[in-house]
Structure formats: C-alpha cells, structure tokens
C-alpha cells in the first residue's frame, strides 16, 4: 500500500544574496496547491512532406508555484525575496540564484537549482470573502535532481 499524503512536507530555500543560509517553508496555503509544478514539454514533433514523423528534444525551464499562508513568517520571507529581486526606477535587483529542495514525508527529495523568482504578490490582497488572498510565488529553475528515501 502506498501512502500518498503530503502532510509533513517542507521546502528548504536558499538565495545566494538575500538568504544565503536559507529558510524552511512549512506554512502552506489551505485554498491553493501548496507546491505546484506544471507539466513541461521536453520534445517537439513535425511531419516531413511525405508524412515522415520527425522528433527532437528541446530544453524546458521548470516552473514552480509555492502558495503560503498570508502574513505568516514564510510569506514575509518570500515577500522579502521578491522585493530584493524586483527592479524599479532607482532600484536594482540583487540577482539571487535560488536553490529549492522539496522534502517529502517519505524522506525523498527533489532539489531544483539555478533558479530565479519570477512572480509574486508585492502587497497583500483581500478577497471578496473578506480574507487575505493566498500569496503565490513563482520560480523558474534550470535543473532538478532527485533522491529517494
């Protein structure tokens, strides 16, 4: 029997300039997927003029969304990371290179490396239900490695 519970998951995040020692993320949202990685396309295809199938590999970035409890310590750390890497008039990015390790309840891990934070909520938003909206932070990575428990 396989236990597929996500309870007890932890994300360890390191950012070269903003959080070189790293921090753990455990305060996951209740109304959005806490750790979401969409499918990527690793190959493409075409048909020659005479109907011959041709295929080729292609690189693809790995996108990760992390959704956390609004206003919690993890949200504050991720907001700090977002702001440190955001550019605006008179403000440069610190250009963090991010490494994220997802630790699953069974002890297995995935480590995403050579990453960048790309999206996030710069201020708190409020939903029509009267609660703070779940902040979502998006990252993109070049590499992934796995280890089994």
């Amino acid at each position: 029997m396989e236990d597929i519970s996500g309870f007890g998951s932890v994300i360890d995040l390191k950012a070269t300039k903003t959080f070189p020692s790293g921090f753990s993320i455990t305060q996951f949202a209740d109304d959005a997927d806490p750790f979401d990685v969409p499918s990527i396309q690793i190959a493409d295809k075409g048909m020659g003029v005479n109907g011959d199938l041709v295929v080729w590999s292609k690189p693809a970035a790995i996108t990760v969304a992390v959704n956390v409890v609004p206003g919690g310590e993890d949200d504050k750390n991720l907001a700090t990371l977002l702001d440190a890497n955001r550019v605006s008039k008179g403000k440069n990015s610190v250009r963090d290179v991010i490494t994220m390790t997802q630790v699953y309840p069974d002890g297995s891990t995935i480590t995403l490396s050579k990453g960048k934070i790309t999206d996030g909520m710069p201020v708190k938003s409020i939903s029509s239900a009267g609660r703070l909206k779940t902040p979502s932070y998006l990252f993109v990575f070049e590499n992934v490695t796995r280890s089994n428990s």
Side-chain angles (χ1 to χ4, degrees), residues 5 7 11 13 32 36-37 40 54 74-75 88 115 125 137 144:
S5 174
F7 182 78
I11 295 173
L13 186 145
D36 190 31
V37 182
I40 60 172
V54 293
D74 295 341
D75 181 24
S88 64
S125 296
Y137 297 92
V144 61

Side-chain angles (χ1 to χ4, degrees), residues 103-124:
V103 182
Y104 295 96
D106 66 359
S108 64
T109 64
I110 59 159
T111 299
L112 299 144
S113 58
K114 294 187 179 178
K116 176 84 175 160
I117 187 166
T118 62
D119 296 72
M121 296 170 57
V123 297
K124 294 178 186 176

Side-chain angles (χ1 to χ4, degrees), residues 17-18 77-96 98 116-123 137-138:
K17 304 273 175 58
T18 309
N77 286 337
L78 289 166
T80 298
L81 180 65
L82 178 72
D83 191 56
N85 286 275
R86 184 181 61 83
V87 297
S88 64
K89 186 171 182 170
K91 179 186 179 306
N92 291 324
S93 167
V94 298
R95 296 179 170 216
D96 276 314
I98 297 170
K116 176 84 175 160
I117 187 166
T118 62
D119 296 72
M121 296 170 57
V123 297
Y137 297 92
L138 275 72

Side-chain angles (χ1 to χ4, degrees), residues 6 12 27 30 33 57 64-65 75 79 92 101 103 106 108 127 129-130 139 146:
D12 291 320
Q27 298 173 320
D30 68 332
D33 293 337
S57 296
V64 174
D75 181 24
N92 291 324
T101 301
V103 182
D106 66 359
S108 64
S127 74
F139 300 84
R146 293 172 179 74

Side-chain angles (χ1 to χ4, degrees), residues 46-61:
M47 296 295 284
V49 120
N50 291 325
D52 300 306
L53 175 66
V54 293
V55 295
W56 58 94
S57 296
K58 65 183 209 174

